[in-house]
Amino acid sequence: MIVKPRIRGFVCITAHPKGCEAKVRQEIEVAKAAKKSGGPKKVLVIGSSTGYGLSTRIASAFGHDAATLGVFYERPSIKGKPASAGWYNSVAFEKAAHEAGLYAKSINGDAFSDEIKAQTIETIKADLGQVDLVVYSLASPRRTDPKTGETYKSVLKPIGESFTNRSLDTDKDQVCEVTIEPAEGDDVEHTIKVMGGEDWELWMDALDQAGVLAPGAKSVAYSYIGPELTWPVYTNGTIGQAKKDVERAAAAITEKHDCAAYVAVNKAVVTQASSAIPVVPLYISILFKIMKAKGTHEDCIEQMVRLLNDRLYGDDLQLDEVGRIRVDDWEMEPDVQQAVADIWPGITSETLFTESDYAGYQENFLTLFGFSLPGVDYEEDVEVDLELPSSK
C-alpha cells in the first residue's frame, strides 16, 4: 500500500516501513563513525524500539560490536494496516545487525510482566550466557503489577496547584496557553508505580537470580530535568516524583547486585513521549534553534553515542551532586538557557517559524514515524507486513 502520515494530536497513527529503515540506517552511520573499543559486549535493552532505547541499541551494536537483545511492546501489521513505527524500527535494526554479522534478537510483549522477564532470561541463557549492560528505557501510560494483578495509570500533572504556561497547538501551528489541573487522589502513587524504579529493580533481581547478569555489569535508566519553566508539570510534578524513585532504584540496585546502576539525564529531543508533554514542544522548538546555531545540537543517537563512549565506558562519568550522569549538559549551559528565556515570553504564532526551529521540530516528529526522510519514495507501493528477522 501507499503509506501517508495520518496525525492525531501528538501521535502519528501510521508508519512507513522504508522510511523507518532509512532513519535507523542514518543512526547506524552516526554510531559507526564514532566506533570505539572497550564498550559493552552483550546488551539487554528494555524498551528498545523507539527514542533513546533504540538509539542505545544502535550505539551498542554499531559503535561497540555488541550483541543486543531488545524487549518492546509494539504492534505488527494487522489486516493490511501498517505496523507501529517501533515495529519497523526493530525490523530494520535486526536486518542491519544481521548483515553486519552481529547478534540481534527481539522479544515483543509486556516488559512489566513476569512472562516476558522469564522469556528474556531463557533467551540470554541460550544465546548469550550473560549480559554486561542492561538499559532500562520504558515509557508507558499504564502498568499491571505482576504480583497483585492491579493496573496503574500514570498521569502528567503538577502537584499542589494548577499550572498555566505557554505551549504549542501542533495541529494548528499556533502558540497557545495551556492550564493543567493538579494531581489528586492516588495520581502520584500510581504514576510512581508505572514510571518509577520498581520494575527496573524487578528486572535486575530476576536477571541476577537467574545468573545471567555478568559480574561487574552496568545498568542505566533515563531521566530528564529540563528548564525551570517546565518544572511545575515535569520535574516537580507527578512524573518528577516517579523519576526520583528511579534514582532511589539506581542506588538500591548498585547496593544489592554486583552491578553499577546509574540514572542518565538526557537532553530534550523530539520523541513520541516528549511530544505529549504540554509546554515541551514549544521549548524544544526554541532550544533547537539556539543549539543548532551554537553547533551543539544532538539528537537521540548523538546523545547515546556520547553517553556510552565518553561516560559509561569513558574516562570520567562526570556525575552530578546526586550521582546522576548528565548528558543534558550542553542543553543546560547558562547561555543556552538564557537565550531560551529571552525568546520565550515574546514568541507568537506569527513569529513561531522565525524565532524558533518549529519547522525542524515538525520534520523531526515526522521522521519518528518514517516520514520526511530523504531518498524515500513516498508514492511507492510498499509491503507493510514485515516480520522480525530473528523470529523467522
Side-chain angles (χ1 to χ4, degrees), residues 74 114 117 138 155 275 322 341 364:
E74 295 291 351
D114 288 342
K117 289 180 176 71
L138 287 186
V155 296
S275 61
V322 293
N364 242 186

Side-chain angles (χ1 to χ4, degrees), residues 19 28 32 69 116 205 224 231 238 244 276 278 311 321 356 366 389:
I28 286 169
K32 284 164 72 173
L69 177 60
I116 291 298
D205 287 348
Y224 180 65
W231 284 4
T238 53
K244 286 188 180 75
R311 304 297 175 81
E321 68 282 355
S356 80
L366 286 169

Side-chain angles (χ1 to χ4, degrees), residues 5 15 26 59 116 141 144 191 193 228 262 274 287 307 375 386:
Q26 275 186 355
I116 291 298
T144 299
T191 301
K193 286 290 275 188
E228 285 190 44
Y262 301 99
S274 70
L287 178 75
L307 174 67
L386 302 181

